[in-house]
Amino acid sequence: MARRTGHLRERAVAQHGLGVAHRAAGNPAEATSHLEAALVAYTELRAPEAEEVRVLLGEPSR
C-alpha cells in the first residue's frame, strides 16, 4: 500500500506541475487535462493539495 501511495503522490505532483506549466504557456486544454488528473490522485490520497488544484480549475472549495 505504501508503495502504491508513493507512486500515486509522485504522479499527482507531476500532473499538477504539468498543468501549471501548460497553463502558463497558454495551453488551457492541456492544463485542464493534467490538473484534472492531479485532482483525482490528490483526492484519492486525501491530500491538501487537492484544494489548490480545485482553485486552479475554478471549482468551488470543499
Side-chain angles (χ1 to χ4, degrees):
M1 178 72 169
R3 186 173 196 186
R4 185 175 104 58
T5 301
H7 289 298
L8 186 57
R9 177 164 289 286
E10 289 173 9
R11 193 165 64 236
V13 169
Q15 292 289 346
H16 189 171
L18 286 167
V20 170
H22 278 288
R23 187 174 184 186
N27 301 317
E30 286 291 319
T32 298
S33 176
H34 288 292
L35 291 170
E36 286 174 346
L39 181 57
V40 168
Y42 283 143
T43 300
E44 185 175 332
L45 292 165
R46 298 183 182 156
E49 294 90 343
E51 187 61 32
E52 180 182 343
V53 175
R54 278 189 193 91
V55 170
L56 290 170
L57 288 168
E59 293 185 7
S61 298
R62 290 189 180 180

